[in-house]
Amino acid sequence: MTEVALFGAGRIGTIHAGNVASQPGVKLKYIVDVDRAAAAKLAGQHGAQTADAEAVFDDSAIAAVVIGSSTDTHADLILRAAKARKAIFCEKPVDLELDRARACAEAVQSSGVVCLIGFQRRYDPTFAAIKARITQGEIGKPEMLIVTSRDPGAPPVDYIKRSGGIFKDMLIHDFDVFRWIMEDEAATVYATGSCLTDQAIAAAGDIDATAVTIRTRGGRLAQINTIRRAVYGYDQRFEVLGSKGMLQAGNHRPTEVTLWSSGAITADKPEYFFLERYRAAYQMEMAHFVDAITNGKPVRTTIEDGIKALELADAATTSWREQRIVKL
Ligand SMILES: NC(=O)c1ccc[n+]([C@@H]2O[C@H](COP(=O)([O-])OP(=O)(O)OC[C@H]3O[C@@H](n4cnc5c(N)ncnc54)[C@H](O)[C@@H]3O)[C@@H](O)[C@H]2O)c1
């Protein structure tokens, strides 16, 4: 039995708890959260125990930790897990500061522990199918990418204040999609943005709408548009144009039922938010992590991917603040 501890009993921790507990041969042993009531509730749902971090790192039976606690806890927990030689599944971003994130990558590398960063979009069946078809050569070499990434609504301003800003919190996923699909690194980034949906976000020093243009080292182009409010739901689409054609990834709907009436043809709105849209991706990501730790397979979303996405988020933040093109 592979014994696992989970940090964080919030939105994403709740999802990961279910996915850890449902893996064959895996026992979700501990839930750690500074909110003890939240930890106890989640532990109760999965037959786990609550614990503090020391107990987890001192327990030699724990093979892996899943870090789904607030972003500002990630680096410390990665360093402690690497020291204790526990495999690591850590949510994005690795940290808000590149130096600390790089120190985590070095610790992971020197300890040799498995470390997966939670870029779940790569495990999503729709997005993964596009990637496979690009790899099979269906559209030739990808030349342009357009990513649309719109949330149905903003998180509470207290979350925004601790999030590191929209580029590190939200677009980090889009930057990872860009690198994964284009198989190229950014040479230049230009990011502009506004606060359009809630002035409390501007008061917290952040923006809620962005338009980012990236030119790759190979001269190929990507555009990413994001906003923290789309009244029709979570809007997650991208299209990639290659020398031989184009592939598009559309939204998922709860059902495929359409109503045809005298006035209009209507269908379900997209699935509401990330917990619904990426349900399958989170399951597959956890199954992949368990496969990596039990069968010694390499992980597909590494801490180096986490660093690269953070470098892009940093560059975009600078570009937006200083209103200039940033070279990487
Ligand atoms: N990959 C994704 O799609 C995705 C989606 C949402 C959130 N996230 C990431 O997951 C992390 C958590 O986000 P969330 O939306 O679940 O937030 P959340 O606020 O719902 O939950 C965070 C939990 O961490 C707990 N916590 C804080 N400090 C702790 C500590 N020292 N030890 C243990 N627990 C602690 C909090 O009490 C809270 O219960 C963030 O880093 C976020 O960027 C990733």
Side-chain angles (χ1 to χ4, degrees), residues 49-256:
Q49 309 163 42
T50 59
D52 58 20
E54 286 68 34
V56 168
F57 294 118
D58 287 348
D59 185 343
S60 59
I62 289 291
V65 295
V66 174
I67 304 171
S69 42
S70 311
T71 296
D72 53 8
T73 65
H74 295 182
D76 176 55
L77 292 172
I78 290 174
L79 293 173
R80 292 171 75 179
K83 196 170 171 206
R85 301 202 175 271
K86 317 268 186 221
I88 301 162
F89 176 126
C90 183
E91 265 310 331
K92 45 56 64 174
V94 177
D95 191 69
L96 297 179
E97 300 300 328
L98 257 176
D99 286 351
R100 257 205 313 266
R102 287 185 180 129
C104 290
E106 277 166 27
V108 163
Q109 205 179 19
S110 61
S111 70
V113 295
V114 169
C115 181
L116 178 148
I117 300 299
F119 290 127
Q120 84 282 355
R121 292 186 195 177
R122 295 199 195 197
Y123 303 88
D124 175 68
T126 297
F127 291 179
I130 286 209
K131 173 71 178 182
R133 293 175 71 163
I134 293 170
T135 306
Q136 284 155 18
E138 286 191 35
I139 60 163
K141 186 170 182 178
E143 290 168 343
M144 295 188 86
L145 171 71
I146 298 176
V147 179
T148 295
S149 183
R150 301 173 185 152
D151 285 358
V157 170
D158 279 347
Y159 176 97
I160 300 256
K161 283 179 186 161
R162 290 179 77 183
S163 71
I166 194 167
F167 296 106
K168 290 180 189 175
D169 182 54
M170 184 172 165
L171 281 89
I172 196 131
H173 281 295
D174 306 299
F175 294 137
D176 182 64
V177 166
F178 152 76
R179 294 186 57 251
W180 175 55
I181 293 294
M182 298 302 260
E183 291 187 7
D184 201 352
E185 300 296 345
T188 61
V189 175
Y190 178 69
T192 188
S194 281
C195 189
L196 299 178
T197 77
D198 182 355
Q199 289 313 305
I201 293 174
D206 203 1
I207 47 178
D208 55 20
T210 75
V212 179
T213 303
I214 301 174
R215 186 174 193 277
T216 70
R217 289 179 192 161
R220 294 169 305 130
L221 302 175
Q223 287 178 317
I224 301 169
N225 75 88
T226 64
I227 190 162
R228 287 209 193 257
R229 180 188 61 206
V231 292
Y232 48 84
Y234 197 34
D235 193 359
Q236 298 280 288
R237 291 172 283 135
F238 68 78
E239 65 179 49
V240 51
L241 176 73
S243 48
K244 293 185 193 163
M246 178 176 73
L247 284 161
Q248 285 184 323
N251 287 314
H252 289 189
R253 292 189 286 238
T255 79
E256 290 307 315

